[in-house]
Amino acid sequence: MQEQLPRKIENLVVTLLVIRIFSSFLGALRACADFRDSTAESRIIGRSMTLCPCNSTRTFQKCCALIHSTPHLAANAEQLMRARYSAYVVGNIDFLIDTYHSSCNAHLERSQIKVSADIDWVKLEILEAIKVKPTAEQAFVEFKAWYMEAGELCVLHERSRFTREDCNQHWQWRYLEAVPITAQSATKVVGRNALCSCNSGKKYKKCCLLTDNL
């Protein structure tokens, strides 16, 4: 009996060590998950008192954040376009998915949408957003979204189609697709020798014109 007592104590100590190691492992996993979940939230909180990424003169909290929390507040396609750009900047993936048209099945592309949100977005420039009647079923917004990639300033030039869709008893504007940019729209650019609109301080011909012609 006395010989078995030390062995029992030894087994108990080993068991307690295993439990402690396993608990530490679970704690580390939870910490990693909390960090991932808090990343987007911290980006949103950090923006709350600064100017909105959509390039308006209002703070994020009084601009696109309102639409992020209540999407049907977007009165037109341009407002939704600005809110979606801001969502890319702050990493609000859920809003981006929710404001795609249902036919796009955006929830199946969540990982790819997150990759786009992780880009270092710099500036949004609305080129054209024609006002439509309140009863209109679709609208178009042409824009340039500037971003940094491998230390270079790049631009996404797109004409987006938006359409209205009934969602939870609210008619909401939703992003549907990118459409070809017409020749008429393509001519609406600054002169080659004018300062580039990206605020780089360079002439357009030595800056973003190189990217636009790719």
Side-chain angles (χ1 to χ4, degrees):
M1 189 71 177
Q2 292 180 348
E3 294 179 356
Q4 294 178 352
L5 184 59
R7 181 174 298 177
K8 290 183 179 180
I9 294 175
E10 180 180 351
N11 292 339
L12 179 61
V13 170
V14 171
T15 301
L16 291 174
L17 285 174
V18 171
I19 294 174
R20 184 172 181 179
I21 293 172
F22 184 69
S23 298
S24 299
F25 177 70
L26 289 179
L29 288 179
R30 283 194 294 267
C32 290
D34 291 342
F35 176 78
R36 289 194 300 269
D37 293 340
S38 66
T39 299
E41 181 180 357
S42 64
R43 290 164 69 180
I44 294 174
I45 294 174
R47 283 280 181 178
S48 61
M49 299 306 293
T50 60
L51 289 179
C52 192
C54 79
N55 208 23
S56 70
T57 58
R58 291 171 291 177
T59 63
F60 172 66
Q61 193 173 28
K62 295 182 178 181
C63 191
C64 289
L66 297 175
I67 299 176
H68 288 178
S69 60
T70 313
H72 69 261
L73 290 180
N76 51 57
E78 180 183 351
Q79 284 189 358
L80 182 62
M81 168 65 231
R82 291 180 178 275
R84 283 177 56 82
Y85 172 81
S86 295
Y88 276 109
V89 174
V90 302
N92 192 340
I93 310 301
D94 289 337
F95 176 82
L96 291 168
I97 292 175
D98 292 342
T99 52
Y100 269 95
H101 191 270
S102 60
S103 63
C104 298
N105 293 317
H107 62 284
L108 301 177
E109 304 294 334
R110 186 180 187 90
S111 59
Q112 184 58 44
I113 293 173
K114 186 180 184 306
V115 170
S116 297
D118 288 339
I119 292 175
D120 184 12
W121 296 100
V122 176
K123 177 186 175 183
L124 174 67
E125 180 184 0
I126 301 295
L127 301 179
E128 185 178 56
I130 299 175
K131 292 183 179 180
V132 297
K133 296 180 180 180
T135 57
E137 293 297 322
Q138 67 175 3
F140 297 87
V141 179
E142 185 178 348
F143 68 92
K144 286 185 177 182
W146 307 89
Y147 62 97
M148 298 298 297
E149 185 175 48
E152 297 291 334
L153 182 64
C154 306
V155 62
L156 168 65
H157 187 183
E158 181 179 309
R159 188 168 186 256
S160 301
R161 185 199 306 270
F162 294 84
T163 185
R164 294 202 307 157
E165 187 174 29
D166 187 8
C167 180
N168 298 325
Q169 299 182 342
H170 289 288
W171 283 99
Q172 297 182 19
W173 284 104
R174 296 289 184 89
Y175 174 76
L176 182 60
E177 61 182 349
V179 298
I181 298 174
T182 63
Q184 181 180 6
S185 297
T187 61
K188 297 179 180 179
V189 296
V190 296
R192 291 172 55 86
N193 291 314
L195 288 177
C196 190
S197 61
C198 72
N199 295 326
S200 66
K202 299 179 181 179
K203 290 184 178 181
Y204 178 60
K205 66 181 180 182
K206 293 186 178 181
C207 189
C208 293
L209 177 61
L210 303 175
T211 311
D212 291 345
N213 289 335
L214 291 179

